[in-house]
Amino acid sequence: MKIYHRTLEQLPIQTQPRVAAYAITLCFCAIAWWLRLVLDPYFPSGFPYLTFFPAVILASFLFGRGPGILSALICGLLAWYFFIPPIKSFALGHGTGVALAFYVGVVAVDILLVHWMQVANARLVAERERSTQLAARTEILFEELQHRVSNNLQMVGAMLALQRRAVADGEAKRAIGDAANKLQLIGRIQRRLYGSRGEPLALDAFLSALVADLAESGGKPGIRHGVEANSALLLPPDRAIPVALIVAEAIANAVEHGFADRETGNILVSVGCEGDRLSLTVRDDGVGVPDTFDVHAADSLGLRIARNLARGMDATLRILPGRPGTLVELRGIPLDRIARPD
């Protein structure tokens, strides 16, 4: 079907030199005349133009209005001379004028219709090319905007980190530090997303890159990080940042609290699919939370943000004792779709 449409878009054929188009048109006229001669014994009287109409339409369709008019003129003269009584004469016999007028009317309509169709087709092709160029320009502008947004977020995060040094109050210093870290993380995620052009992200690759980034900035190289995710799971970009922030908060809490007195340990991020919903768990083998821990009663800024992000995705967030360590569960994230092999 695509090949068919591409062929139609290239009509009329602009042969160079144009004399080739007119030469082929003369061949169409000759073939139409020969067919009319061969089939003349089988045709009833009164059909002098029967094989000439296709030649006119074909010439107009393939080469445009000029060759179409030439073929109409030549075919009309051939039909008049060989097949309209008196035969082999251009005399105007009884009914000849009516037959010629009929022929002129039909071929004129044929040529005009083909010409208008080709003009409309040319305009459609030009408009599509303009739309393609506009879409490409819009995509470049969008990527540039995303790039600038990520730079600005990271710059604000860096400024907050600098401002943190001038703050004496410990609680305020910690809050500013958390905010700076989160802004810089969002900036890095945004930078990773702006090249995706809006298509869903392969969740395993996205989480692997995210966890590697968090591990590098965690300050404890002895803590090992791992990701278990199905490569067929795709995550919409609008849910990538909330998921990334919740995973980052879980890993940061594990490093800060679970491994407060240790330099080694393990953190595993696992992703599964429950129907059309996604489930994500972050498990560590650190100290662990007490059995009475309630994530909804926690007043930590990071956990409050994580709760709100989970609620915004229509998902549920739980933090449970992992025995050993801590288990962070994020369930009910709507999936965009599951990738299918080509």
Side-chain angles (χ1 to χ4, degrees), residues 220-240:
K220 291 190 175 183
I223 298 176
R224 293 180 297 178
H225 300 73
V227 175
E228 292 180 351
N230 188 339
S231 61
L233 297 178
L234 301 178
L235 184 69
D238 61 339
R239 299 190 191 109

mmCIF file of all heavy atoms in Angstrom, residues 220-240:
data_model
loop_
_atom_site.group_PDB
_atom_site.id
_atom_site.type_symbol
_atom_site.label_atom_id
_atom_site.label_comp_id
_atom_site.label_asym_id
_atom_site.label_seq_id
_atom_site.Cartn_x
_atom_site.Cartn_y
_atom_site.Cartn_z
ATOM 1 N N LYS A 220 29.052 5.075 49.733
ATOM 2 C CA LYS A 220 29.448 3.811 50.370
ATOM 3 C C LYS A 220 29.629 2.761 49.284
ATOM 4 O O LYS A 220 28.704 2.004 48.954
ATOM 5 C CB LYS A 220 28.405 3.354 51.386
ATOM 6 C CG LYS A 220 28.330 4.251 52.625
ATOM 7 C CD LYS A 220 27.466 3.629 53.706
ATOM 8 C CE LYS A 220 27.506 4.487 54.972
ATOM 9 N NZ LYS A 220 26.730 3.891 56.082
ATOM 10 N N PRO A 221 30.819 2.706 48.699
ATOM 11 C CA PRO A 221 31.038 1.770 47.574
ATOM 12 C C PRO A 221 30.927 0.306 47.973
ATOM 13 O O PRO A 221 30.799 -0.556 47.105
ATOM 14 C CB PRO A 221 32.474 2.110 47.136
ATOM 15 C CG PRO A 221 33.107 2.773 48.315
ATOM 16 C CD PRO A 221 32.013 3.497 49.018
ATOM 17 N N GLY A 222 30.944 -0.007 49.282
ATOM 18 C CA GLY A 222 30.827 -1.396 49.700
ATOM 19 C C GLY A 222 29.410 -1.934 49.645
ATOM 20 O O GLY A 222 29.202 -3.145 49.773
ATOM 21 N N ILE A 223 28.436 -1.057 49.468
ATOM 22 C CA ILE A 223 27.035 -1.504 49.382
ATOM 23 C C ILE A 223 26.733 -1.869 47.932
ATOM 24 O O ILE A 223 26.867 -1.040 47.021
ATOM 25 C CB ILE A 223 26.085 -0.407 49.874
ATOM 26 C CG1 ILE A 223 26.362 -0.102 51.352
ATOM 27 C CG2 ILE A 223 24.632 -0.832 49.676
ATOM 28 C CD1 ILE A 223 25.531 1.026 51.905
ATOM 29 N N ARG A 224 26.312 -3.092 47.719
ATOM 30 C CA ARG A 224 26.023 -3.566 46.363
ATOM 31 C C ARG A 224 24.560 -3.334 46.018
ATOM 32 O O ARG A 224 23.677 -3.512 46.862
ATOM 33 C CB ARG A 224 26.362 -5.057 46.243
ATOM 34 C CG ARG A 224 27.864 -5.330 46.355
ATOM 35 C CD ARG A 224 28.160 -6.799 46.227
ATOM 36 N NE ARG A 224 27.555 -7.577 47.318
ATOM 37 C CZ ARG A 224 27.641 -8.891 47.420
ATOM 38 N NH1 ARG A 224 28.300 -9.594 46.498
ATOM 39 N NH2 ARG A 224 27.078 -9.521 48.437
ATOM 40 N N HIS A 225 24.319 -2.935 44.772
ATOM 41 C CA HIS A 225 22.973 -2.642 44.293
ATOM 42 C C HIS A 225 22.649 -3.570 43.127
ATOM 43 O O HIS A 225 23.517 -3.854 42.294
ATOM 44 C CB HIS A 225 22.849 -1.192 43.826
ATOM 45 C CG HIS A 225 23.144 -0.175 44.894
ATOM 46 N ND1 HIS A 225 24.418 0.071 45.347
ATOM 47 C CD2 HIS A 225 22.320 0.656 45.580
ATOM 48 C CE1 HIS A 225 24.384 1.012 46.273
ATOM 49 N NE2 HIS A 225 23.128 1.394 46.425
ATOM 50 N N GLY A 226 21.427 -4.010 43.058
ATOM 51 C CA GLY A 226 21.002 -4.856 41.948
ATOM 52 C C GLY A 226 19.575 -4.537 41.526
ATOM 53 O O GLY A 226 18.793 -3.965 42.290
ATOM 54 N N VAL A 227 19.241 -4.895 40.269
ATOM 55 C CA VAL A 227 17.901 -4.657 39.719
ATOM 56 C C VAL A 227 17.417 -5.935 39.062
ATOM 57 O O VAL A 227 18.158 -6.559 38.291
ATOM 58 C CB VAL A 227 17.907 -3.502 38.683
ATOM 59 C CG1 VAL A 227 16.525 -3.361 38.046
ATOM 60 C CG2 VAL A 227 18.324 -2.197 39.334
ATOM 61 N N GLU A 228 16.217 -6.344 39.392
ATOM 62 C CA GLU A 228 15.557 -7.471 38.722
ATOM 63 C C GLU A 228 14.272 -6.954 38.093
ATOM 64 O O GLU A 228 13.329 -6.592 38.795
ATOM 65 C CB GLU A 228 15.236 -8.583 39.728
ATOM 66 C CG GLU A 228 16.461 -9.275 40.296
ATOM 67 C CD GLU A 228 16.085 -10.373 41.281
ATOM 68 O OE1 GLU A 228 14.884 -10.466 41.633
ATOM 69 O OE2 GLU A 228 16.990 -11.119 41.702
ATOM 70 N N ALA A 229 14.247 -6.891 36.776
ATOM 71 C CA ALA A 229 13.080 -6.355 36.070
ATOM 72 C C ALA A 229 12.933 -7.050 34.731
ATOM 73 O O ALA A 229 13.931 -7.405 34.091
ATOM 74 C CB ALA A 229 13.209 -4.843 35.865
ATOM 75 N N ASN A 230 11.707 -7.230 34.317
ATOM 76 C CA ASN A 230 11.392 -7.830 33.025
ATOM 77 C C ASN A 230 11.655 -6.805 31.927
ATOM 78 O O ASN A 230 11.142 -5.692 31.973
ATOM 79 C CB ASN A 230 9.918 -8.263 33.003
ATOM 80 C CG ASN A 230 9.582 -9.070 31.764
ATOM 81 O OD1 ASN A 230 10.282 -9.009 30.754
ATOM 82 N ND2 ASN A 230 8.507 -9.822 31.828
ATOM 83 N N SER A 231 12.448 -7.172 30.933
ATOM 84 C CA SER A 231 12.784 -6.230 29.861
ATOM 85 C C SER A 231 11.587 -5.880 28.997
ATOM 86 O O SER A 231 11.649 -4.941 28.205
ATOM 87 C CB SER A 231 13.895 -6.824 28.982
ATOM 88 O OG SER A 231 13.450 -8.039 28.386
ATOM 89 N N ALA A 232 10.486 -6.623 29.129
ATOM 90 C CA ALA A 232 9.300 -6.342 28.321
ATOM 91 C C ALA A 232 8.407 -5.266 28.926
ATOM 92 O O ALA A 232 7.461 -4.816 28.284
ATOM 93 C CB ALA A 232 8.480 -7.614 28.121
ATOM 94 N N LEU A 233 8.698 -4.839 30.155
ATOM 95 C CA LEU A 233 7.860 -3.839 30.819
ATOM 96 C C LEU A 233 8.259 -2.440 30.373
ATOM 97 O O LEU A 233 9.437 -2.091 30.378
ATOM 98 C CB LEU A 233 7.988 -3.959 32.340
ATOM 99 C CG LEU A 233 7.513 -5.281 32.953
ATOM 100 C CD1 LEU A 233 7.744 -5.287 34.451
ATOM 101 C CD2 LEU A 233 6.043 -5.510 32.646
ATOM 102 N N LEU A 234 7.258 -1.658 30.001
ATOM 103 C CA LEU A 234 7.481 -0.283 29.541
ATOM 104 C C LEU A 234 6.798 0.687 30.481
ATOM 105 O O LEU A 234 5.656 0.472 30.881
ATOM 106 C CB LEU A 234 6.949 -0.105 28.116
ATOM 107 C CG LEU A 234 7.549 -1.024 27.047
ATOM 108 C CD1 LEU A 234 6.889 -0.759 25.707
ATOM 109 C CD2 LEU A 234 9.047 -0.833 26.949
ATOM 110 N N LEU A 235 7.501 1.760 30.791
ATOM 111 C CA LEU A 235 6.987 2.755 31.734
ATOM 112 C C LEU A 235 6.778 4.075 31.002
ATOM 113 O O LEU A 235 7.690 4.568 30.328
ATOM 114 C CB LEU A 235 7.979 2.954 32.882
ATOM 115 C CG LEU A 235 7.548 3.888 34.008
ATOM 116 C CD1 LEU A 235 6.406 3.243 34.801
ATOM 117 C CD2 LEU A 235 8.722 4.179 34.929
ATOM 118 N N PRO A 236 5.582 4.683 31.117
ATOM 119 C CA PRO A 236 5.363 5.985 30.483
ATOM 120 C C PRO A 236 6.283 7.038 31.095
ATOM 121 O O PRO A 236 6.547 7.010 32.298
ATOM 122 C CB PRO A 236 3.889 6.294 30.799
ATOM 123 C CG PRO A 236 3.282 4.986 31.165
ATOM 124 C CD PRO A 236 4.374 4.166 31.763
ATOM 125 N N PRO A 237 6.794 7.977 30.302
ATOM 126 C CA PRO A 237 7.718 8.987 30.833
ATOM 127 C C PRO A 237 7.128 9.830 31.957
ATOM 128 O O PRO A 237 7.854 10.265 32.844
ATOM 129 C CB PRO A 237 8.020 9.852 29.594
ATOM 130 C CG PRO A 237 7.778 8.960 28.434
ATOM 131 C CD PRO A 237 6.647 8.067 28.843
ATOM 132 N N ASP A 238 5.793 10.058 31.950
ATOM 133 C CA ASP A 238 5.218 10.890 32.994
ATOM 134 C C ASP A 238 5.211 10.202 34.355
ATOM 135 O O ASP A 238 4.986 10.858 35.382
ATOM 136 C CB ASP A 238 3.792 11.317 32.612
ATOM 137 C CG ASP A 238 2.850 10.131 32.440
ATOM 138 O OD1 ASP A 238 3.341 9.017 32.222
ATOM 139 O OD2 ASP A 238 1.630 10.345 32.517
ATOM 140 N N ARG A 239 5.475 8.890 34.385
ATOM 141 C CA ARG A 239 5.551 8.187 35.664
ATOM 142 C C ARG A 239 6.995 7.859 36.044
ATOM 143 O O ARG A 239 7.243 7.308 37.110
ATOM 144 C CB ARG A 239 4.737 6.893 35.612
ATOM 145 C CG ARG A 239 3.252 7.151 35.344
ATOM 146 C CD ARG A 239 2.403 5.912 35.539
ATOM 147 N NE ARG A 239 1.075 6.184 35.007
ATOM 148 C CZ ARG A 239 0.589 5.645 33.896
ATOM 149 N NH1 ARG A 239 1.327 4.809 33.200
ATOM 150 N NH2 ARG A 239 -0.629 5.942 33.477
ATOM 151 N N ALA A 240 7.923 8.181 35.145
ATOM 152 C CA ALA A 240 9.317 7.835 35.401
ATOM 153 C C ALA A 240 9.875 8.624 36.584
ATOM 154 O O ALA A 240 10.555 8.060 37.449
ATOM 155 C CB ALA A 240 10.159 8.093 34.149
#
